[in-house]
Amino acid sequence: MPNMNMLQAINNALDIAMAEDERVLCFGEDVGSFGGVFRATSHLQEKYGHARCFNTPIVEQGIVGFANGLASQGSVPVAEIQFADYIFPAFDQIVNETAKFRYRSGDLFNVGGLTLRAPYGGGISGGHYHSQSPEAYFAHTPGLKVVIPRNPYEAKGLLLASIRDPDPVLFFEPKRLYRASTGEVPEEDYQLPLGEAEVTKEGSDVTLVGWGAQMEVIERAVELAEKDGISCEVIDLRTILPWDEDTVADSVLKTGRLMVTHEAPRTGGFAGEIAAAIQERCFLYLESPVMRVTGLDTPFPLTLEKEYLPDHLKIHEAIRASVNY
């Protein structure tokens, strides 16, 4: 298998989807000949033409509204929001139109073929307008799926599954990993299931749950914990909505402890939803309170980015606190 970074894997997935189905269209700000601000759509316009890969005006609400219209007429739009931080002008279109199209018509029509891609998260010194993690806003919205890959292999398989899924999907791409994460990726077409978490490491003392770029941070924390003699079970949620409650609950029933980490602020973050659901199902099996290691309840800082992000040292400290409770 060839080695790819995450950007190459995403580009490869888009190439396969466009080659297989002429209804698949890619559009967004600078995605055409420029290939997008991170080059995720490189060479797609020259390969498939201006009618299937094209630039849009700088108007996110218009991009998503246009995508809704295309999807409702049978196209398969893959729209890019240049940074996830820019998605908020399109919030109304996503939560009031995209998510509710099927419901309000009694399934007479829908926009199920729609995929919204967006680079998200911190780690590139982007400051408060280029570093946010908005997944929890959309996890509150029935009718959407929210997907976040952790490496190139996952990115390709999950993106192809998202494009072909019968529901609209928000596909958040951890931009810190775009070129930093590399690995073997099959050249052929493959899909990974949406809504299913993956146990990436089995253990017996504590369950660690994360997604996206935090999975690499968790791995580093686990290495430290193992030197302390602590056995960690690690779960990549992969899909935030719907999230795989059963896999997490089964793990916690075994370990008796749970720690969840994400870059987004603590208050209202998706870790809180996981913690609430797991304590409902596993309360009598818990050996310690569910722990959260998250970003801070402040706007994302520029010069203090390292202090803001939940790093491996903070996670290691939480693991020790949970086990020694």
Side-chain angles (χ1 to χ4, degrees), residues 127-159:
H128 58 291
Y129 285 132
H130 299 81
S131 306
Q132 297 175 75
S133 299
E135 67 267 28
Y137 291 104
F138 299 101
H140 190 63
T141 307
L144 301 175
K145 290 183 178 178
V146 181
V147 180
I148 306 171
R150 74 175 184 274
N151 61 32
Y153 176 82
E154 297 283 320
K156 178 177 176 179
L158 291 171
L159 181 54

PDB file of all heavy atoms in Angstrom, residues 127-159:
ATOM      1  N   GLY A 127      -4.663  31.144  15.911  1.00  0.00           N
ATOM      2  CA  GLY A 127      -5.436  32.133  16.653  1.00  0.00           C
ATOM      3  C   GLY A 127      -6.901  31.753  16.763  1.00  0.00           C
ATOM      4  O   GLY A 127      -7.334  30.669  16.379  1.00  0.00           O
ATOM      5  N   HIS A 128      -7.699  32.701  17.261  1.00  0.00           N
ATOM      6  CA  HIS A 128      -9.061  32.356  17.636  1.00  0.00           C
ATOM      7  C   HIS A 128     -10.029  32.242  16.467  1.00  0.00           C
ATOM      8  O   HIS A 128     -11.155  31.768  16.651  1.00  0.00           O
ATOM      9  CB  HIS A 128      -9.595  33.335  18.686  1.00  0.00           C
ATOM     10  CG  HIS A 128      -9.597  34.765  18.262  1.00  0.00           C
ATOM     11  ND1 HIS A 128      -8.437  35.471  18.077  1.00  0.00           N
ATOM     12  CD2 HIS A 128     -10.610  35.617  17.999  1.00  0.00           C
ATOM     13  CE1 HIS A 128      -8.744  36.707  17.716  1.00  0.00           C
ATOM     14  NE2 HIS A 128     -10.046  36.822  17.655  1.00  0.00           N
ATOM     15  N   TYR A 129      -9.658  32.640  15.253  1.00  0.00           N
ATOM     16  CA  TYR A 129     -10.552  32.498  14.110  1.00  0.00           C
ATOM     17  C   TYR A 129     -10.164  31.354  13.181  1.00  0.00           C
ATOM     18  O   TYR A 129     -10.779  31.177  12.132  1.00  0.00           O
ATOM     19  CB  TYR A 129     -10.608  33.802  13.306  1.00  0.00           C
ATOM     20  CG  TYR A 129     -11.431  34.892  13.953  1.00  0.00           C
ATOM     21  CD1 TYR A 129     -10.934  36.180  14.059  1.00  0.00           C
ATOM     22  CD2 TYR A 129     -12.697  34.621  14.470  1.00  0.00           C
ATOM     23  CE1 TYR A 129     -11.678  37.190  14.653  1.00  0.00           C
ATOM     24  CE2 TYR A 129     -13.446  35.617  15.079  1.00  0.00           C
ATOM     25  CZ  TYR A 129     -12.933  36.901  15.163  1.00  0.00           C
ATOM     26  OH  TYR A 129     -13.672  37.889  15.766  1.00  0.00           O
ATOM     27  N   HIS A 130      -9.120  30.594  13.549  1.00  0.00           N
ATOM     28  CA  HIS A 130      -8.676  29.501  12.684  1.00  0.00           C
ATOM     29  C   HIS A 130      -8.314  28.260  13.497  1.00  0.00           C
ATOM     30  O   HIS A 130      -7.505  27.445  13.053  1.00  0.00           O
ATOM     31  CB  HIS A 130      -7.461  29.928  11.850  1.00  0.00           C
ATOM     32  CG  HIS A 130      -7.715  31.074  10.929  1.00  0.00           C
ATOM     33  ND1 HIS A 130      -7.696  32.377  11.366  1.00  0.00           N
ATOM     34  CD2 HIS A 130      -8.018  31.113   9.607  1.00  0.00           C
ATOM     35  CE1 HIS A 130      -7.959  33.188  10.347  1.00  0.00           C
ATOM     36  NE2 HIS A 130      -8.153  32.450   9.276  1.00  0.00           N
ATOM     37  N   SER A 131      -8.924  28.084  14.661  1.00  0.00           N
ATOM     38  CA  SER A 131      -8.502  27.000  15.547  1.00  0.00           C
ATOM     39  C   SER A 131      -9.646  26.325  16.291  1.00  0.00           C
ATOM     40  O   SER A 131      -9.401  25.415  17.081  1.00  0.00           O
ATOM     41  CB  SER A 131      -7.504  27.537  16.586  1.00  0.00           C
ATOM     42  OG  SER A 131      -6.424  28.195  15.982  1.00  0.00           O
ATOM     43  N   GLN A 132     -10.875  26.744  16.056  1.00  0.00           N
ATOM     44  CA  GLN A 132     -11.977  26.278  16.887  1.00  0.00           C
ATOM     45  C   GLN A 132     -12.423  24.857  16.533  1.00  0.00           C
ATOM     46  O   GLN A 132     -12.205  24.376  15.433  1.00  0.00           O
ATOM     47  CB  GLN A 132     -13.164  27.236  16.752  1.00  0.00           C
ATOM     48  CG  GLN A 132     -12.877  28.631  17.245  1.00  0.00           C
ATOM     49  CD  GLN A 132     -14.029  29.581  16.990  1.00  0.00           C
ATOM     50  OE1 GLN A 132     -15.042  29.550  17.670  1.00  0.00           O
ATOM     51  NE2 GLN A 132     -13.874  30.443  15.998  1.00  0.00           N
ATOM     52  N   SER A 133     -13.065  24.225  17.515  1.00  0.00           N
ATOM     53  CA  SER A 133     -13.615  22.877  17.366  1.00  0.00           C
ATOM     54  C   SER A 133     -15.121  22.941  17.648  1.00  0.00           C
ATOM     55  O   SER A 133     -15.551  22.830  18.797  1.00  0.00           O
ATOM     56  CB  SER A 133     -12.942  21.913  18.346  1.00  0.00           C
ATOM     57  OG  SER A 133     -11.551  21.835  18.096  1.00  0.00           O
ATOM     58  N   PRO A 134     -15.949  23.130  16.609  1.00  0.00           N
ATOM     59  CA  PRO A 134     -17.383  23.393  16.816  1.00  0.00           C
ATOM     60  C   PRO A 134     -18.282  22.166  16.778  1.00  0.00           C
ATOM     61  O   PRO A 134     -19.494  22.291  16.611  1.00  0.00           O
ATOM     62  CB  PRO A 134     -17.703  24.324  15.639  1.00  0.00           C
ATOM     63  CG  PRO A 134     -16.823  23.827  14.539  1.00  0.00           C
ATOM     64  CD  PRO A 134     -15.555  23.352  15.203  1.00  0.00           C
ATOM     65  N   GLU A 135     -17.733  20.969  16.959  1.00  0.00           N
ATOM     66  CA  GLU A 135     -18.550  19.764  16.756  1.00  0.00           C
ATOM     67  C   GLU A 135     -19.749  19.673  17.688  1.00  0.00           C
ATOM     68  O   GLU A 135     -20.813  19.173  17.311  1.00  0.00           O
ATOM     69  CB  GLU A 135     -17.689  18.502  16.876  1.00  0.00           C
ATOM     70  CG  GLU A 135     -17.109  18.203  18.253  1.00  0.00           C
ATOM     71  CD  GLU A 135     -15.721  18.776  18.456  1.00  0.00           C
ATOM     72  OE1 GLU A 135     -15.390  19.793  17.823  1.00  0.00           O
ATOM     73  OE2 GLU A 135     -14.962  18.219  19.263  1.00  0.00           O
ATOM     74  N   ALA A 136     -19.618  20.178  18.936  1.00  0.00           N
ATOM     75  CA  ALA A 136     -20.708  20.041  19.896  1.00  0.00           C
ATOM     76  C   ALA A 136     -21.941  20.847  19.488  1.00  0.00           C
ATOM     77  O   ALA A 136     -23.076  20.462  19.806  1.00  0.00           O
ATOM     78  CB  ALA A 136     -20.250  20.459  21.289  1.00  0.00           C
ATOM     79  N   TYR A 137     -21.744  21.973  18.788  1.00  0.00           N
ATOM     80  CA  TYR A 137     -22.898  22.747  18.320  1.00  0.00           C
ATOM     81  C   TYR A 137     -23.805  21.891  17.441  1.00  0.00           C
ATOM     82  O   TYR A 137     -25.029  21.954  17.536  1.00  0.00           O
ATOM     83  CB  TYR A 137     -22.429  23.949  17.493  1.00  0.00           C
ATOM     84  CG  TYR A 137     -21.729  25.039  18.260  1.00  0.00           C
ATOM     85  CD1 TYR A 137     -20.351  25.182  18.182  1.00  0.00           C
ATOM     86  CD2 TYR A 137     -22.432  25.944  19.043  1.00  0.00           C
ATOM     87  CE1 TYR A 137     -19.689  26.190  18.864  1.00  0.00           C
ATOM     88  CE2 TYR A 137     -21.787  26.957  19.722  1.00  0.00           C
ATOM     89  CZ  TYR A 137     -20.416  27.077  19.634  1.00  0.00           C
ATOM     90  OH  TYR A 137     -19.771  28.080  20.309  1.00  0.00           O
ATOM     91  N   PHE A 138     -23.197  21.108  16.582  1.00  0.00           N
ATOM     92  CA  PHE A 138     -23.964  20.346  15.598  1.00  0.00           C
ATOM     93  C   PHE A 138     -24.430  19.001  16.139  1.00  0.00           C
ATOM     94  O   PHE A 138     -25.398  18.426  15.639  1.00  0.00           O
ATOM     95  CB  PHE A 138     -23.132  20.165  14.333  1.00  0.00           C
ATOM     96  CG  PHE A 138     -22.768  21.479  13.696  1.00  0.00           C
ATOM     97  CD1 PHE A 138     -21.515  22.027  13.870  1.00  0.00           C
ATOM     98  CD2 PHE A 138     -23.707  22.186  12.962  1.00  0.00           C
ATOM     99  CE1 PHE A 138     -21.185  23.255  13.311  1.00  0.00           C
ATOM    100  CE2 PHE A 138     -23.395  23.416  12.404  1.00  0.00           C
ATOM    101  CZ  PHE A 138     -22.132  23.943  12.572  1.00  0.00           C
ATOM    102  N   ALA A 139     -23.752  18.493  17.171  1.00  0.00           N
ATOM    103  CA  ALA A 139     -24.182  17.252  17.793  1.00  0.00           C
ATOM    104  C   ALA A 139     -25.532  17.412  18.472  1.00  0.00           C
ATOM    105  O   ALA A 139     -26.206  16.424  18.776  1.00  0.00           O
ATOM    106  CB  ALA A 139     -23.141  16.781  18.806  1.00  0.00           C
ATOM    107  N   HIS A 140     -25.971  18.645  18.705  1.00  0.00           N
ATOM    108  CA  HIS A 140     -27.266  18.922  19.324  1.00  0.00           C
ATOM    109  C   HIS A 140     -28.398  18.915  18.302  1.00  0.00           C
ATOM    110  O   HIS A 140     -29.558  19.134  18.660  1.00  0.00           O
ATOM    111  CB  HIS A 140     -27.200  20.295  20.017  1.00  0.00           C
ATOM    112  CG  HIS A 140     -28.373  20.610  20.895  1.00  0.00           C
ATOM    113  ND1 HIS A 140     -28.682  19.878  22.023  1.00  0.00           N
ATOM    114  CD2 HIS A 140     -29.327  21.571  20.810  1.00  0.00           C
ATOM    115  CE1 HIS A 140     -29.767  20.372  22.583  1.00  0.00           C
ATOM    116  NE2 HIS A 140     -30.178  21.405  21.881  1.00  0.00           N
ATOM    117  N   THR A 141     -28.083  18.630  17.033  1.00  0.00           N
ATOM    118  CA  THR A 141     -29.045  18.795  15.945  1.00  0.00           C
ATOM    119  C   THR A 141     -29.428  17.461  15.316  1.00  0.00           C
ATOM    120  O   THR A 141     -28.638  16.905  14.539  1.00  0.00           O
ATOM    121  CB  THR A 141     -28.465  19.720  14.854  1.00  0.00           C
ATOM    122  OG1 THR A 141     -28.024  20.939  15.469  1.00  0.00           O
ATOM    123  CG2 THR A 141     -29.515  20.033  13.796  1.00  0.00           C
ATOM    124  N   PRO A 142     -30.607  16.914  15.623  1.00  0.00           N
ATOM    125  CA  PRO A 142     -31.043  15.687  14.960  1.00  0.00           C
ATOM    126  C   PRO A 142     -31.141  15.898  13.449  1.00  0.00           C
ATOM    127  O   PRO A 142     -31.544  16.961  12.979  1.00  0.00           O
ATOM    128  CB  PRO A 142     -32.431  15.434  15.559  1.00  0.00           C
ATOM    129  CG  PRO A 142     -32.444  16.191  16.845  1.00  0.00           C
ATOM    130  CD  PRO A 142     -31.596  17.404  16.607  1.00  0.00           C
ATOM    131  N   GLY A 143     -30.742  14.878  12.703  1.00  0.00           N
ATOM    132  CA  GLY A 143     -30.804  14.951  11.250  1.00  0.00           C
ATOM    133  C   GLY A 143     -29.456  15.092  10.595  1.00  0.00           C
ATOM    134  O   GLY A 143     -29.335  14.990   9.376  1.00  0.00           O
ATOM    135  N   LEU A 144     -28.416  15.322  11.395  1.00  0.00           N
ATOM    136  CA  LEU A 144     -27.058  15.437  10.881  1.00  0.00           C
ATOM    137  C   LEU A 144     -26.216  14.255  11.351  1.00  0.00           C
ATOM    138  O   LEU A 144     -26.540  13.597  12.342  1.00  0.00           O
ATOM    139  CB  LEU A 144     -26.390  16.722  11.378  1.00  0.00           C
ATOM    140  CG  LEU A 144     -27.033  18.054  11.043  1.00  0.00           C
ATOM    141  CD1 LEU A 144     -26.272  19.173  11.747  1.00  0.00           C
ATOM    142  CD2 LEU A 144     -27.063  18.284   9.538  1.00  0.00           C
ATOM    143  N   LYS A 145     -25.125  14.010  10.638  1.00  0.00           N
ATOM    144  CA  LYS A 145     -24.064  13.145  11.136  1.00  0.00           C
ATOM    145  C   LYS A 145     -22.787  13.972  11.198  1.00  0.00           C
ATOM    146  O   LYS A 145     -22.555  14.822  10.336  1.00  0.00           O
ATOM    147  CB  LYS A 145     -23.876  11.912  10.246  1.00  0.00           C
ATOM    148  CG  LYS A 145     -25.047  10.936  10.343  1.00  0.00           C
ATOM    149  CD  LYS A 145     -24.832   9.673   9.527  1.00  0.00           C
ATOM    150  CE  LYS A 145     -26.019   8.721   9.716  1.00  0.00           C
ATOM    151  NZ  LYS A 145     -25.879   7.494   8.891  1.00  0.00           N
ATOM    152  N   VAL A 146     -21.995  13.735  12.235  1.00  0.00           N
ATOM    153  CA  VAL A 146     -20.757  14.488  12.439  1.00  0.00           C
ATOM    154  C   VAL A 146     -19.610  13.491  12.565  1.00  0.00           C
ATOM    155  O   VAL A 146     -19.613  12.638  13.465  1.00  0.00           O
ATOM    156  CB  VAL A 146     -20.837  15.374  13.700  1.00  0.00           C
ATOM    157  CG1 VAL A 146     -19.545  16.165  13.875  1.00  0.00           C
ATOM    158  CG2 VAL A 146     -22.042  16.318  13.617  1.00  0.00           C
ATOM    159  N   VAL A 147     -18.646  13.600  11.661  1.00  0.00           N
ATOM    160  CA  VAL A 147     -17.577  12.606  11.541  1.00  0.00           C
ATOM    161  C   VAL A 147     -16.216  13.301  11.648  1.00  0.00           C
ATOM    162  O   VAL A 147     -16.016  14.372  11.070  1.00  0.00           O
ATOM    163  CB  VAL A 147     -17.681  11.861  10.193  1.00  0.00           C
ATOM    164  CG1 VAL A 147     -16.578  10.812  10.060  1.00  0.00           C
ATOM    165  CG2 VAL A 147     -19.057  11.206  10.043  1.00  0.00           C
ATOM    166  N   ILE A 148     -15.271  12.687  12.384  1.00  0.00           N
ATOM    167  CA  ILE A 148     -13.940  13.262  12.577  1.00  0.00           C
ATOM    168  C   ILE A 148     -12.902  12.137  12.526  1.00  0.00           C
ATOM    169  O   ILE A 148     -12.869  11.288  13.419  1.00  0.00           O
ATOM    170  CB  ILE A 148     -13.841  14.010  13.924  1.00  0.00           C
ATOM    171  CG1 ILE A 148     -14.956  15.057  14.053  1.00  0.00           C
ATOM    172  CG2 ILE A 148     -12.477  14.672  14.058  1.00  0.00           C
ATOM    173  CD1 ILE A 148     -15.058  15.686  15.423  1.00  0.00           C
ATOM    174  N   PRO A 149     -12.041  12.114  11.496  1.00  0.00           N
ATOM    175  CA  PRO A 149     -11.028  11.052  11.392  1.00  0.00           C
ATOM    176  C   PRO A 149      -9.778  11.358  12.197  1.00  0.00           C
ATOM    177  O   PRO A 149      -9.499  12.511  12.529  1.00  0.00           O
ATOM    178  CB  PRO A 149     -10.710  11.043   9.894  1.00  0.00           C
ATOM    179  CG  PRO A 149     -10.871  12.480   9.494  1.00  0.00           C
ATOM    180  CD  PRO A 149     -11.995  13.026  10.347  1.00  0.00           C
ATOM    181  N   ARG A 150      -8.991  10.328  12.479  1.00  0.00           N
ATOM    182  CA  ARG A 150      -7.769  10.500  13.266  1.00  0.00           C
ATOM    183  C   ARG A 150      -6.491  10.298  12.462  1.00  0.00           C
ATOM    184  O   ARG A 150      -5.407  10.663  12.922  1.00  0.00           O
ATOM    185  CB  ARG A 150      -7.758   9.529  14.449  1.00  0.00           C
ATOM    186  CG  ARG A 150      -7.477   8.076  14.084  1.00  0.00           C
ATOM    187  CD  ARG A 150      -7.365   7.185  15.320  1.00  0.00           C
ATOM    188  NE  ARG A 150      -6.996   5.818  14.976  1.00  0.00           N
ATOM    189  CZ  ARG A 150      -7.839   4.860  14.641  1.00  0.00           C
ATOM    190  NH1 ARG A 150      -9.148   5.120  14.615  1.00  0.00           N
ATOM    191  NH2 ARG A 150      -7.419   3.648  14.344  1.00  0.00           N
ATOM    192  N   ASN A 151      -6.572   9.693  11.281  1.00  0.00           N
ATOM    193  CA  ASN A 151      -5.367   9.435  10.486  1.00  0.00           C
ATOM    194  C   ASN A 151      -5.753   9.289   9.008  1.00  0.00           C
ATOM    195  O   ASN A 151      -6.947   9.293   8.673  1.00  0.00           O
ATOM    196  CB  ASN A 151      -4.628   8.194  10.999  1.00  0.00           C
ATOM    197  CG  ASN A 151      -5.462   6.918  10.929  1.00  0.00           C
ATOM    198  OD1 ASN A 151      -6.295   6.755  10.043  1.00  0.00           O
ATOM    199  ND2 ASN A 151      -5.224   5.999  11.852  1.00  0.00           N
ATOM    200  N   PRO A 152      -4.793   9.163   8.096  1.00  0.00           N
ATOM    201  CA  PRO A 152      -5.120   9.099   6.663  1.00  0.00           C
ATOM    202  C   PRO A 152      -6.012   7.922   6.281  1.00  0.00           C
ATOM    203  O   PRO A 152      -6.941   8.083   5.475  1.00  0.00           O
ATOM    204  CB  PRO A 152      -3.738   8.994   6.006  1.00  0.00           C
ATOM    205  CG  PRO A 152      -2.800   9.632   6.969  1.00  0.00           C
ATOM    206  CD  PRO A 152      -3.329   9.284   8.320  1.00  0.00           C
ATOM    207  N   TYR A 153      -5.747   6.749   6.831  1.00  0.00           N
ATOM    208  CA  TYR A 153      -6.570   5.578   6.508  1.00  0.00           C
ATOM    209  C   TYR A 153      -8.017   5.814   6.896  1.00  0.00           C
ATOM    210  O   TYR A 153      -8.947   5.528   6.118  1.00  0.00           O
ATOM    211  CB  TYR A 153      -6.020   4.340   7.227  1.00  0.00           C
ATOM    212  CG  TYR A 153      -6.864   3.100   7.028  1.00  0.00           C
ATOM    213  CD1 TYR A 153      -6.736   2.323   5.884  1.00  0.00           C
ATOM    214  CD2 TYR A 153      -7.798   2.711   7.992  1.00  0.00           C
ATOM    215  CE1 TYR A 153      -7.512   1.192   5.696  1.00  0.00           C
ATOM    216  CE2 TYR A 153      -8.581   1.587   7.817  1.00  0.00           C
ATOM    217  CZ  TYR A 153      -8.431   0.829   6.670  1.00  0.00           C
ATOM    218  OH  TYR A 153      -9.226  -0.286   6.496  1.00  0.00           O
ATOM    219  N   GLU A 154      -8.223   6.320   8.090  1.00  0.00           N
ATOM    220  CA  GLU A 154      -9.579   6.602   8.558  1.00  0.00           C
ATOM    221  C   GLU A 154     -10.214   7.717   7.728  1.00  0.00           C
ATOM    222  O   GLU A 154     -11.405   7.667   7.406  1.00  0.00           O
ATOM    223  CB  GLU A 154      -9.540   7.024  10.033  1.00  0.00           C
ATOM    224  CG  GLU A 154      -9.023   5.964  10.975  1.00  0.00           C
ATOM    225  CD  GLU A 154     -10.039   4.889  11.270  1.00  0.00           C
ATOM    226  OE1 GLU A 154     -11.223   5.221  11.433  1.00  0.00           O
ATOM    227  OE2 GLU A 154      -9.644   3.705  11.338  1.00  0.00           O
ATOM    228  N   ALA A 155      -9.428   8.727   7.371  1.00  0.00           N
ATOM    229  CA  ALA A 155      -9.966   9.863   6.622  1.00  0.00           C
ATOM    230  C   ALA A 155     -10.538   9.421   5.283  1.00  0.00           C
ATOM    231  O   ALA A 155     -11.640   9.824   4.900  1.00  0.00           O
ATOM    232  CB  ALA A 155      -8.876  10.915   6.412  1.00  0.00           C
ATOM    233  N   LYS A 156      -9.815   8.594   4.557  1.00  0.00           N
ATOM    234  CA  LYS A 156     -10.303   8.152   3.253  1.00  0.00           C
ATOM    235  C   LYS A 156     -11.558   7.301   3.390  1.00  0.00           C
ATOM    236  O   LYS A 156     -12.570   7.540   2.725  1.00  0.00           O
ATOM    237  CB  LYS A 156      -9.218   7.371   2.516  1.00  0.00           C
ATOM    238  CG  LYS A 156      -9.687   6.840   1.157  1.00  0.00           C
ATOM    239  CD  LYS A 156      -8.588   6.126   0.395  1.00  0.00           C
ATOM    240  CE  LYS A 156      -9.133   5.532  -0.905  1.00  0.00           C
ATOM    241  NZ  LYS A 156      -8.062   4.838  -1.685  1.00  0.00           N
ATOM    242  N   GLY A 157     -11.513   6.307   4.267  1.00  0.00           N
ATOM    243  CA  GLY A 157     -12.657   5.401   4.405  1.00  0.00           C
ATOM    244  C   GLY A 157     -13.898   6.074   4.953  1.00  0.00           C
ATOM    245  O   GLY A 157     -15.017   5.791   4.514  1.00  0.00           O
ATOM    246  N   LEU A 158     -13.715   6.984   5.902  1.00  0.00           N
ATOM    247  CA  LEU A 158     -14.860   7.688   6.484  1.00  0.00           C
ATOM    248  C   LEU A 158     -15.423   8.728   5.521  1.00  0.00           C
ATOM    249  O   LEU A 158     -16.641   8.944   5.475  1.00  0.00           O
ATOM    250  CB  LEU A 158     -14.459   8.343   7.808  1.00  0.00           C
ATOM    251  CG  LEU A 158     -14.166   7.391   8.967  1.00  0.00           C
ATOM    252  CD1 LEU A 158     -13.565   8.149  10.149  1.00  0.00           C
ATOM    253  CD2 LEU A 158     -15.426   6.638   9.399  1.00  0.00           C
ATOM    254  N   LEU A 159     -14.547   9.386   4.740  1.00  0.00           N
ATOM    255  CA  LEU A 159     -15.044  10.385   3.786  1.00  0.00           C
ATOM    256  C   LEU A 159     -15.843   9.716   2.674  1.00  0.00           C
ATOM    257  O   LEU A 159     -16.912  10.211   2.294  1.00  0.00           O
ATOM    258  CB  LEU A 159     -13.891  11.196   3.205  1.00  0.00           C
ATOM    259  CG  LEU A 159     -14.284  12.297   2.214  1.00  0.00           C
ATOM    260  CD1 LEU A 159     -15.327  13.246   2.805  1.00  0.00           C
ATOM    261  CD2 LEU A 159     -13.063  13.085   1.758  1.00  0.00           C
TER     262      LEU A 159
END
